[in-house]
Amino acid sequence: MAGHSKWSTIKRKKGANDAKRGKIFTKLIREITIAAKTGGGDPEGNPRLRSAITAAKGENMPKDNIDRAIKKGTGDLGGAVYEEIMYEGYGPGGVAVLVETMTDNKNRTVADIRHFFAKSGGNLGEFGCVAWMFDRKGTLTVDKDAASEDELMDAALEAGAEDVVEEEESFQVITSPETFNDVVEYLEKAAVSFTGAELAMIPKNTVEVVEEQAAKSLLRLLESLEDHDDVQKVHANFDISDDLMEQLS
């Protein structure tokens, strides 16, 4: 969980501005669109769409934007046709990296991602080369001022969650993919507000990056990938000490 927690914390700290909000909306709209395309436009019968809508609401996306994205997916509105592709590779320090993309031009996307890996000293690998190092889990982010740890733990476990992990400024509620939506609904009814909800790839084990240049190159790679318009999510199994993070910042 450390790798996911570290990268999640970094992203939250670097992403709180309007320009990022625009990118976040773009990525969320694509996820809603393809979820509606593959599973239908009714969130009650489409768990992936429900998850995407929950994430969009967590970012305060207007309802009109969500509705338009669903209609694009169901074919009621025109728009670009996106393809889902997962890329896998190794970054600096031997860190495993998964890159979830949605693209209307896979040749452009793979060329850009390969360039990012090569520039950082890493390399893009074959399908399946690192995915086995991760488990897909549901995660909900709850600010510490929204609930006490004991209250959240009781509510989350009652709802069917697997664990609650404490971070610097928040708690992460961890669920299986199958119980994710049930936990979301339970916490909403229990008036526990959360700032993020998503299905993510959680590393089974982490690689500690101790060399400053490797850590700097790794973070630059992850940030470049996150900023790319075709990239939806980036997952990595690294851990960097708080002391080294302080030096890098």
Side-chain angles (χ1 to χ4, degrees):
M1 186 60 199
H4 173 74
S5 298
K6 188 74 70 172
W7 182 227
S8 296
T9 301
I10 292 169
K11 286 194 293 183
R12 282 199 295 274
K13 288 183 176 179
K14 72 183 279 290
N17 59 63
D18 289 340
K20 275 290 179 188
R21 175 59 56 82
K23 281 186 175 291
I24 289 171
F25 274 19
T26 298
K27 294 174 189 290
L28 289 170
I29 285 170
R30 289 186 183 183
E31 172 63 18
I32 292 170
T33 298
I34 203 160
K37 178 182 177 181
T38 57
D42 180 9
E44 292 302 318
N46 184 345
R48 180 176 178 180
L49 179 59
R50 288 171 63 190
S51 300
I53 292 172
T54 298
K57 288 179 177 178
E59 293 293 341
N60 296 315
M61 180 181 289
K63 185 177 183 299
D64 287 348
N65 295 44
I66 295 173
D67 291 342
R68 282 197 299 272
I70 293 173
K71 289 178 180 178
K72 284 183 181 179
T74 56
D76 295 325
L77 290 177
V81 177
Y82 293 103
E83 180 179 2
E84 288 185 281
I85 306 175
M86 175 85 82
Y87 295 101
E88 307 178 33
Y90 288 94
V95 171
V97 182
L98 288 176
V99 187
E100 296 185 46
T101 70
M102 283 188 193
T103 178
D104 57 356
N105 185 333
K106 63 181 181 180
N107 292 329
R108 174 196 66 217
T109 303
V110 69
D112 289 347
I113 290 176
R114 182 175 286 113
H115 170 72
F116 290 144
F117 272 93
K119 187 177 180 180
S120 73
N123 62 282
L124 190 62
E126 297 295 325
F127 177 77
C129 68
V130 301
W132 60 273
M133 302 181 191
F134 297 78
D135 288 321
R136 184 167 288 278
K137 297 288 185 181
T139 67
L140 291 86
T141 303
V142 179
D143 288 339
K144 286 189 173 179
D145 59 4
S148 71
E149 183 173 9
D150 288 342
E151 291 172 340
L152 180 59
M153 180 70 77
D154 289 344
L157 296 182
E158 178 69 24
E162 295 180 352
D163 198 5
V164 175
V165 179
E166 183 177 6
E167 296 187 357
E168 184 178 339
E169 300 175 351
S170 63
F171 298 108
Q172 290 282 326
V173 179
I174 311 301
T175 79
S176 69
E178 294 76 20
T179 62
F180 175 71
N181 287 307
D182 292 336
V183 174
V184 168
E185 289 184 358
Y186 188 97
L187 293 184
E188 285 178 336
K189 291 177 181 177
V192 176
S193 60
F194 41 88
T195 57
E198 65 173 348
L199 291 172
M201 300 296 287
I202 307 298
K204 298 175 183 178
N205 296 289
T206 57
V207 174
E208 187 175 5
V209 181
V210 298
E211 200 272 321
E212 182 176 350
Q213 186 55 51
K216 188 181 298 184
S217 297
L218 174 64
L219 293 179
R220 189 180 300 120
L221 166 63
L222 299 179
E223 290 173 3
S224 296
L225 291 168
E226 280 279 352
D227 285 341
H228 194 283
D229 288 343
D230 296 339
V231 172
Q232 290 295 103
K233 297 176 184 177
V234 180
H235 314 282
N237 70 340
F238 73 97
D239 193 18
I240 299 175
S241 70
D242 292 338
D243 289 342
L244 182 51
M245 284 300 304
E246 186 69 25
Q247 293 178 38
L248 295 176
S249 62

